[in-house]
Amino acid sequence: MEHGIHPTKSRVAAISIFASAGMAIAKFVVGIAIGSLALISEALHSSVDVVATIVTWLVVRFSDRPADEEHHYGHGKLESVSALGIIAMLYVLAGGILVESFSRLRNGTPPPILSAIPFIVLVLDIAVNLWRARALHRAAHETKSQALEADAVHFASDVLGSLAVMAGLALSGFGFWWGDAVAAATVAVVIAALGMRLARSTVETLTDRAPEGVAAQAAAAIRAVPGVVSVERLRVRMVGATHFIDAIVQVPRTYPIDRVDEIKHKAQGAVSDALDDADLTFTAVPVALNNESVRERIMVIARNSGLAVHHVTVHDLGDKLTVSIDLEVDGEMALTAAHDIAHALERNIRDEFGENVEVDTHIEPLEPELPLGTDAAPERVETIRAALTQLAATGAIQDIHNVRVRDTDAGEIVNFHCRAAPSMSVIKVHEGVDEIERALRRAFPTVKRVISHAEPPKV
């Protein structure tokens, strides 16, 4: 089997070919033998079904192929095109039967020769068509195949047509010579009515009409994803069995890109769970939320300007805000250029919060992305460890351990772990280790940076 072909579609369509051919031959032979236009009409209808099921079988072998460079939405609409072709054949057949039926009614024809054989054939035909219509309808529902749904409509019409033929033959048997012609005309009307029903759904698909209720289901599934603010716009189209969904979704502007990407993948999973087969195009629109903090809004301003900031401190003095920011720029940049960047950042912050806001920007060199460094000598590590232990001896920070010292072009980098009482607040712990870090840098001017990691005591 070729890649992408749904086995249910191909198997059911192939079975339909043999069933249609067998019943068409049986009805045609008996119809000719007894001279029944109604039975011959049913045979011709079944012959159209043979052609239709062959077309269906061929189409489903292509419609499930994945998208390629020329067909970005896959090949599913081949099923809709084939369904239109089948509908056209049905209407040609219905028109021919009606013309012949009216001709016989106008001119008068002898009734068909009655026996048990045509009734046996028709009962068998009804049983076979009921089984096939049910199997095809179930397969069409499972695979959302319009080609299989068209075949199911065919066989449903065959059942109604067979009942009409039986009624016409019975009328002829009771002496009503026109019964067979009326039955044939009834078969034509049934074919036309069922073809109209199929045509409506096929044309809706070809014109990209959104399936009933699907847009609401998809929107509800996306809104249920944590982090989604709202669905701004959503469009749905069907191509074969696949729902192609374009959604413009609002997300908080404070979220980083990787968080937005995670929301996108969760939305795809949610829509697929709701609709079985869905392809979601997710466009994220960042929006400001009412509960954004001042600090978050400042970080967004800096990020939108492509600037690296940290240590954003905000104080509310009642009648105005004061903002302090550490701005990182290239260490080799001239002060004039760096000052212009800082001034532009401060201008953007005032535009956001008002002219009365007080902004101070501390400019510092940007840390190199991957500074070269080597481990310090063991003697140097021991000296730093002893100094840290002595500095922590009288405070709340205890058990200095895992001390590491690295030599870099910018100076020494010191990392260490320490412990503090589990009941201490983060603020108190930070104040304690910060005091140790400052004291170490004063004692060892070559130390550029100290990074500490506080832990609760071992249990």
Side-chain angles (χ1 to χ4, degrees), residues 12-193:
V12 173
I15 293 173
S16 295
I17 293 174
F18 294 103
S20 296
M23 294 313 304
I25 293 171
K27 287 186 287 188
F28 188 78
V29 169
V30 175
I32 291 293
I34 67 174
S36 171
L37 175 62
L39 193 53
I40 293 172
S41 299
E42 263 299 285
L44 292 175
H45 184 194
S46 294
S47 299
V48 172
D49 288 347
V50 174
V51 177
T53 48
I54 291 174
V55 171
T56 299
W57 184 74
L58 292 174
V59 166
V60 297
R61 296 182 66 81
F62 289 94
S63 63
D64 276 344
R65 288 182 175 180
D68 54 35
E69 292 184 359
E70 296 181 348
H71 303 87
H72 298 178
Y73 291 92
H75 302 77
K77 285 201 173 180
L78 283 174
E79 296 191 12
S80 300
V81 174
S82 72
L84 285 180
I86 293 169
I87 292 165
M89 286 190 291
L90 284 175
Y91 276 107
V92 169
L93 175 61
I97 294 172
L98 281 174
V99 169
E100 181 62 24
S101 299
F102 286 131
S103 175
R104 293 197 177 195
L105 287 171
R106 184 177 62 250
N107 299 327
T109 56
I113 302 170
L114 293 183
S115 68
I117 293 177
F119 290 96
I120 294 173
V121 170
L122 289 168
V123 169
L124 180 61
D125 183 57
I126 289 173
V128 171
N129 285 332
L130 282 174
W131 172 80
R132 286 191 299 169
R134 182 179 178 185
L136 283 166
H137 180 73
R138 184 167 58 247
H141 179 73
E142 290 175 357
T143 62
K144 296 182 176 66
S145 169
Q146 285 190 324
L148 291 184
E149 185 63 36
D151 247 0
V153 170
H154 282 163
F155 299 135
S157 68
D158 280 350
V159 171
L160 297 175
S162 296
L163 292 173
V165 173
M166 291 177 71
L169 291 175
L171 287 172
S172 297
F174 286 109
F176 298 97
W177 64 268
W178 45 263
D180 184 63
V182 170
T186 302
V187 170
V189 171
V190 168
I191 293 172

Side-chain angles (χ1 to χ4, degrees), residues 396-397 418 420-435 437 452-456:
I397 304 303
C418 59
S423 59
M424 284 185 66
S425 67
V426 173
I427 292 177
K428 292 296 184 183
V429 172
H430 178 72
E431 289 175 351
V433 295
D434 197 44
E435 183 179 345
E437 292 171 6
S452 59
H453 173 74
E455 304 167 334

Side-chain angles (χ1 to χ4, degrees), residues 245-314:
I245 301 169
D246 298 325
I248 298 178
V249 182
Q250 294 181 350
V251 297
R253 64 175 184 169
T254 55
Y255 280 5
I257 294 176
D258 54 351
R259 177 72 183 278
V260 174
D261 187 62
E262 180 185 352
I263 293 173
K264 173 184 174 181
H265 287 293
K266 287 183 177 179
Q268 172 67 67
V271 171
S272 296
D273 290 343
L275 302 177
D276 294 330
D277 192 355
D279 189 314
L280 174 65
T281 299
F282 185 102
T283 302
V285 177
V287 295
L289 302 183
N290 294 331
N291 61 351
E292 281 183 359
S293 67
V294 174
R295 183 181 182 280
E296 287 176 329
R297 292 164 68 183
I298 292 173
M299 295 297 289
V300 168
I301 293 170
R303 186 184 64 211
N304 290 343
S305 301
L307 302 177
V309 300
H310 62 277
H311 287 173
V312 178
T313 304
V314 181

Side-chain angles (χ1 to χ4, degrees), residues 335-390:
L335 177 59
T336 302
H339 180 267
D340 289 342
I341 294 173
H343 181 74
L345 175 60
E346 293 171 1
R347 178 75 265 166
N348 291 336
I349 292 174
R350 290 190 179 95
D351 289 342
E352 175 77 11
F353 296 98
E355 289 295 333
N356 199 34
V357 66
E358 180 183 297
V359 187
D360 289 306
T361 305
H362 170 67
I363 303 174
E364 61 181 51
L366 184 68
E367 289 289 338
E369 187 173 341
L370 289 173
L372 296 177
T374 58
D375 288 332
E379 296 81 7
R380 181 60 173 176
V381 175
E382 177 57 29
T383 299
I384 297 294
R385 187 198 65 77
L388 287 169
T389 301
Q390 182 178 0

